[in-house]
Each structure stands twice: as C-alpha cells, then as structure tokens.
C-alpha cells in the first residue's frame, strides 16, 4: 500500500505489506506526521491510499480521504540595525519572520522607558504569510537635540502583538549625536588662528 497526494512525504502505511490468502482481509494503518514547518500549510489536505496485489497488479484499488493539519504559530522579530547613530532621526527595519503554517495578523508598537523619543512605524498593522519575512520601517527621533556634547544612548523596545501568538519584543537604541559636526569647532579654531 502507498499514500498518494500532497500528504505522501509525511505519511506512511504500517505495515506496508500484508500477506493475505484469497477471501481473507487484513488491517493496515495510515500514519500522518506533518512536519512543524511553514511548507505544510494549515487546513485540509486530500490524500489517497492505493492497495495493490503482487499477484494481480490490475486488481489494485484506491481509497480517498482527507487529513486536517492543525495551525501553529512561530513568529520572530529582528531589528536591523539594533543600534543606530543619528543627529535628528534614526532609521531601522523591523523584520518579522513567520515560521508558522498560517497567516499572522499583527500590530507593531514602539516605546521608550524615559519618553525621550518619538516614533513612526510603517505599516503599523500587517499580515505575515507563512514562511515569509515582512519588513516594517521604523523611525526614531529624539525629542530634544543638543548642539555640543557627548553622545547619548536612548534605548527603546519594539513590540509585536499577533493573533494566537505570544507577544514578541526586540530591544533597540538610538545613539544621539551632537547637532554640530565634530570637525566644525576645530576648523573654526584653526580659521580664527589663521585670521
């Protein structure tokens, strides 16, 4: 006996051969083991089982059926880059990987603990298809700027909330630089000395 159709790679018949005398019958079990992978979508998968006689190959029979593959979720979020340097606005990409076998409807939000940043997210809601990566643009801008001084690191957290999934969060940071370019003050001092 053999399984035919899309379920064939992850199914088998136990036992795969039966020795039967004429007029008798036997029992074989079809076992389905779909992999936990986006390659096998959730839902109904039709299949067929072919039983063939070695003595009478023309006397084979085919029975059809369907197996229900249960949905599962596996969503991950990665921020690229994790830390960005900026004077006015830092740009990031939030990569949402759906390793599950069903589409995921999700919303993205961003917050910083000290309320020192403003954020813009495009898009704020999305549908991530199974086995795909979806890209979200994220912009972070410091609320206050400074002309001169040491760099400031401003941490934040991006949160992905999806249906039927635990929330996924990823940490990031903006390294805020002074507004004036670092070379400007030494150049002005040299120009003043030269004048």
């Amino acid at each position: 006996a053999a399984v035919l159709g899309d379920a064939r790679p992850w199914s088998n018949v136990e036992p795969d051969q039966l020795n039967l005398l004429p007029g008798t019958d036997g029992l074989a079990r079809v076992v389905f083991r779909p992999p936990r992978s986006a390659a096998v979508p959730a839902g109904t998968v039709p299949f067929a089982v072919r039983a063939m006689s070695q003595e009478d190959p023309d006397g084979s029979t085919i029975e059809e059926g369907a197996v229900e593959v249960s949905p599962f979720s596996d969503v991950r979020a990665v921020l690229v880059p994790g830390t960005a340097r900026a004077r006015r606005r830092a740009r990031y990409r939030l990569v949402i990987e759906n390793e599950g076998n069903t589409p995921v409807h999700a919303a993205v939000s961003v917050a910083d603990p000290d309320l020192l940043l403003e954020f813009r997210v495009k898009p704020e809601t999305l549908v991530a298809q199974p086995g795909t990566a979806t890209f979200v643009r994220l912009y972070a801008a410091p609320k206050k700027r400074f002309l001169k001084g040491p760099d400031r690191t401003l941490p934040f957290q991006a949160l992905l909330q999806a249906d039927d999934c635990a929330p996924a969060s990823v940490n990031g940071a903006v390294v805020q630089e002074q507004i004036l370019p670092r070379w400007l003050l030494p150049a002005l001092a040299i120009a003043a000395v030269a004048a």
Side-chain angles (χ1 to χ4, degrees):
V3 177
L4 309 173
D6 292 341
R8 181 178 168 205
W10 37 271
S11 62
N12 62 340
V13 180
E14 298 174 353
D16 59 350
Q17 285 187 341
L18 289 171
N19 295 321
L20 299 173
L21 295 172
T24 63
D25 54 2
L27 182 65
R29 186 171 67 161
V30 179
V31 179
F32 298 97
R33 291 185 183 95
R36 190 171 169 87
S37 164
V40 180
T44 303
V45 179
F47 69 93
V49 177
R50 179 179 59 206
M52 232 170 56
S53 170
Q54 290 181 343
E55 300 298 322
D56 181 16
D58 294 333
S60 68
T61 184
I62 294 178
E63 289 294 324
E64 296 180 350
V67 62
E68 188 71 25
V69 177
S70 298
F72 74 92
S73 299
D74 185 3
V75 179
R76 298 182 184 122
V78 178
L79 188 66
V80 179
T83 302
R85 303 181 75 80
R87 288 187 175 88
R88 290 186 170 81
R89 183 172 76 166
R91 294 180 179 95
Y92 304 85
R93 281 190 310 168
L94 184 63
V95 183
I96 297 154
E97 299 172 343
N98 182 0
E99 298 295 326
N101 68 349
T102 186
V104 171
H105 299 266
V108 178
S109 61
V110 188
D112 64 303
D114 301 320
L115 305 175
L116 298 175
L117 296 167
E118 293 178 341
F119 302 99
R120 197 171 72 186
V121 179
K122 286 187 176 181
E124 291 181 355
T125 60
L126 58 107
V127 177
Q129 295 299 324
T132 64
T134 304
F135 297 92
V136 175
R137 292 186 306 255
L138 170 63
Y139 303 95
K143 291 180 180 178
K144 294 182 181 178
R145 298 185 182 99
F146 59 98
L147 291 176
K148 184 177 179 298
D151 294 345
R152 298 175 187 164
T153 301
L154 307 173
F156 66 88
Q157 186 177 58
L159 180 66
L160 177 72
Q161 292 180 311
D163 298 341
D164 303 323
C165 295
S169 65
V170 62
N171 295 323
V174 175
V175 177
Q176 184 183 11
E177 300 174 330
Q178 65 185 19
I179 296 292
L180 296 176
R182 296 197 187 284
W183 56 266
L184 183 60
L185 292 178
L188 289 175
I190 291 171
V193 170

